[in-house]
Amino acid sequence: MRLLRTLMAAATALAVTAFAAPSFAADDPGPAAYAKALNGKRVMLVPLAMGFDLAQGWAHYLKKEVEAWGGTFETRDPNWVVDAGAQAITDAIASDTRPDVLIIHAPDLNSYSKLMKKAQAAGTYVILVDNPANFPADAFVGSDWDKLGQLEAEAAIKGCGENSSKKIGLVQGDQANSSSLYQYAGIMKVLEKHPDFQVVAKPDSNWDATTSRNVT
């Protein structure tokens, strides 16, 4: 559990470590506990792909933290291919150097569920980052997407005002990713209270900038 708490703390700190390095009092027991928990441990990140800013940021700071405490950090790059991600997780579980912690950026709610259960059964902690899934992971580190959707809808209604067309175009990532699904649910909760505002278009971008511009 010390290892799990350490990784949760490191993952949570990703948003702030870019701005300030932590300072510890001379008698702070934290550093010694982190070093003891992570020394000699293997941590693997399996994102949707390594070629975009979120995954690169996570990898940079996780590598910095894990290796600073004496652990080993590595990544696998599915490059947006779900089957490749599943194979990477399968290989990791079967490896002689099986990771002690898998940090997974799930592509949808269900694709990796059986594999994550298998990883846990083998003794590997599973941390979901950014996207929740239909799986009881050891920890989830990410946003409250439903609440963000509500805030977005409220901002749109306030920004458009009563004298607007009250027509909303909603560009989603896709129909499977949990961040899209939960944000959409949050948006609809707010719009149900404002029936005069209507979503008149909701195309998917498939997480591609060019597609997003074109559908917009």
Side-chain angles (χ1 to χ4, degrees):
M1 287 306 296
R2 184 183 295 116
L3 172 63
L4 177 59
R5 288 195 294 269
T6 299
L7 263 294
M8 289 174 64
T12 304
L14 291 181
V16 297
T17 50
F19 303 102
S23 59
F24 299 103
D27 59 350
D28 190 331
Y34 297 157
K36 184 177 180 180
L38 279 169
N39 186 42
K41 299 300 192 295
R42 305 184 70 86
V43 179
M44 180 183 290
L45 170 67
V46 183
L48 294 177
M50 283 302 301
F52 72 115
D53 53 358
L54 276 180
Q56 291 170 9
W58 296 333
H60 173 80
Y61 288 106
L62 282 166
K63 177 179 174 67
K64 179 179 178 181
E65 293 295 318
V66 171
E67 293 183 352
W69 300 119
T72 301
F73 178 73
E74 54 189 312
T75 63
R76 294 292 182 270
D77 186 3
N79 196 28
W80 304 105
V81 179
V82 176
D83 287 345
Q87 188 61 53
I89 297 171
T90 300
D91 292 345
I93 297 170
S95 172
D96 292 337
T97 55
R98 176 177 55 81
D100 298 282
V101 179
L102 271 172
I103 302 175
I104 296 176
H105 189 202
D108 53 53
L109 291 170
N110 297 308
S111 289
Y112 295 163
S113 293
K114 290 183 179 179
L115 290 174
M116 291 188 287
K117 182 177 181 180
K118 186 176 180 181
Q120 281 185 333
T124 294
Y125 291 113
V126 176
I127 297 177
L128 288 171
V129 62
D130 198 43
N131 289 338
N134 288 333
F135 173 76
D138 293 289
F140 168 69
V141 182
S143 300
D144 182 342
W145 294 111
D146 186 290
K147 181 61 176 178
L148 284 176
Q150 294 180 50
L151 293 173
E152 290 165 356
E154 290 168 358
I157 291 170
K158 181 179 179 180
C160 292
E162 290 298 321
N163 295 324
S164 68
S165 69
K166 300 182 180 179
K167 295 179 180 179
I168 297 174
L170 175 59
V171 180
Q172 300 187 91
D174 58 40
Q175 296 293 319
N177 189 279
S178 55
S179 62
S180 288
L181 292 172
Y182 292 169
Q183 280 187 92
Y184 183 80
I187 290 170
M188 291 301 108
K189 286 179 182 177
V190 172
L191 293 184
E192 286 174 359
K193 301 175 184 177
H194 301 271
D196 47 336
F197 283 84
Q198 296 184 340
V199 175
V200 295
K202 48 183 179 180
D204 296 336
S205 68
N206 294 315
W207 310 105
D208 177 72
T210 300
T211 301
S212 181
R213 287 192 292 270
N214 289 340
V215 297
T216 300

